[in-house]
Amino acid sequence: MSCLDVGCGGGSVTLDLARLVGPNGRVVGMDFDAVKLDLAKQHAADKHVDNVFFVEADVTELEDINTYDFVYARFLLSNLKEPDVMLAKMAAALKAKGVLVIEDVDYRGHFSYPQNDAFDRYVELYQQLGSKHGTNPNIGCEIPLMMADAGLIDVEMLLADLVFDKGDGKTTSKITLDSIAKAVIKDGLATKAEMTRLGEELDKFVKSKRTLMSMPRIFQVWGTKVKVK
Ligand SMILES: C[S@@+](CC[C@H](N)C(=O)[O-])C[C@H]1O[C@@H](n2cnc3c(N)ncnc32)[C@H](O)[C@@H]1O
């Protein structure tokens, strides 16, 4: 079985796929971030996985046709300006009867307990930044229709709502807030003073033992290709 992980990043899912397809299978991970790919290669070497190959490339230029049995992308389409074009290219890269699986976010399903003003403002700013840059942090719910429009059949979905009371999962929102701060300030969506205050409040909220923090809701969608174009 041949698989492609589009926008594979550090390769955590790529390596899982390689294990699942076994020694007779082959998995390609593609990303344009050389630093992440080096990490992915190192993990593959550490784990003695030799049926995985990492390619440095801009995935929007994917031109493979009728090549893979399985094509996968996680948290990629929400970062692209033309996600429908990318999805059509991923469908084209599949062989007939091949399966496309996409996992992506819907920030409207990102929540804290109890309600917290700093957290709500972070979610709002993340969505505003996406709109301003032509990307869609709420793309998850659009993926089933995008797959159908790309000609895939038997499209089905599951929703994953991950919630944490401690650990790395709980700190993700604070890390994401820090990573968007520069762009938010540059785009005039918030002042430096507000971002500093949000960071402090969110940090306090995350560290409390009496709070819960979710990840953005994740749509997991899959469909099958009927014929080769
Ligand atoms: C949020 S990360 C997700 C990584 C991985 N799929 C995962 O779930 O762990 C998005 C990845 O897409 C990659 N990416 C975004 N646009 C890309 C493009 N045009 N070409 C190649 N990689 C791209 C980024 O470098 C990043 O590694």
Side-chain angles (χ1 to χ4, degrees):
M1 187 175 190
S2 59
C3 306
L4 175 65
D5 183 359
V6 188
C8 63
S12 62
V13 181
T14 330
L15 293 188
D16 284 343
L17 287 172
R19 193 173 36 80
L20 285 169
V21 299
N24 295 326
R26 180 176 186 275
V27 183
V28 177
M30 201 177 272
D31 205 289
F32 61 11
D33 186 329
V35 175
K36 287 185 182 169
L37 287 181
D38 281 346
L39 272 176
K41 285 177 198 165
Q42 191 56 53
H43 286 146
D46 292 347
K47 292 183 177 167
H48 307 289
V49 182
D50 54 13
N51 59 342
V52 66
F53 305 87
F54 291 101
V55 178
E56 187 180 332
D58 183 338
V59 297
T60 62
E61 289 169 12
L62 182 70
E63 283 182 352
D64 292 335
I65 304 285
N66 188 24
T67 306
Y68 299 96
D69 301 296
F70 183 90
V71 175
Y72 173 81
R74 184 174 75 165
F75 309 148
L76 171 75
L77 296 185
S78 51
N79 290 301
L80 298 183
K81 290 185 179 156
E82 294 185 313
D84 48 341
V85 174
M86 185 73 248
L87 194 144
K89 288 188 174 199
M90 288 191 273
L94 281 171
K95 296 176 187 169
K97 296 190 183 162
V99 174
L100 176 63
V101 178
I102 308 274
E103 293 191 273
D104 223 315
V105 291
D106 184 342
Y107 264 70
R108 291 167 307 173
H110 199 358
F111 63 91
S112 69
Y113 179 82
Q115 183 273 336
N116 177 275
D117 287 345
F119 174 81
D120 290 348
R121 177 72 173 136
Y122 145 69
V123 173
E124 181 181 61
L125 286 171
Y126 191 94
Q127 291 171 310
Q128 287 177 350
L129 193 64
S131 301
K132 199 144 188 165
H133 290 263
T135 60
N136 183 0
N138 303 331
I139 198 167
C141 58
E142 295 184 15
I143 291 169
L145 278 180
M146 285 168 66
M147 275 206 193
D149 289 346
L152 294 156
I153 61 160
D154 299 334
V155 175
E156 296 195 37
M157 75 199 87
L158 277 176
L159 293 189
D161 257 337
L162 306 177
V163 189
F164 302 91
D165 62 354
K166 57 182 165 307
D168 289 349
K170 200 177 181 190
T171 54
T172 304
S173 52
K174 170 67 172 60
I175 292 169
T176 309
L177 177 80
D178 291 345
S179 73
I180 64 170
K182 244 188 191 165
V184 164
I185 296 162
K186 186 165 170 240
D187 286 351
L189 297 172
T191 61
K192 193 173 176 195
E194 184 186 11
M195 292 308 281
T196 305
R197 182 178 57 75
L198 289 180
E200 286 165 1
E201 285 176 21
L202 206 50
D203 197 39
K204 215 162 91 192
F205 187 84
V206 167
K207 283 181 178 150
S208 165
K209 291 191 172 139
R210 299 182 61 81
T211 60
L212 301 179
M213 190 72 88
S214 84
M215 297 287 274
R217 176 194 296 139
I218 300 169
F219 273 73
Q220 303 172 312
V221 191
W222 60 96
T224 304
K225 178 165 172 174
V226 252
K227 60 176 185 218
V228 178
K229 279 188 186 167

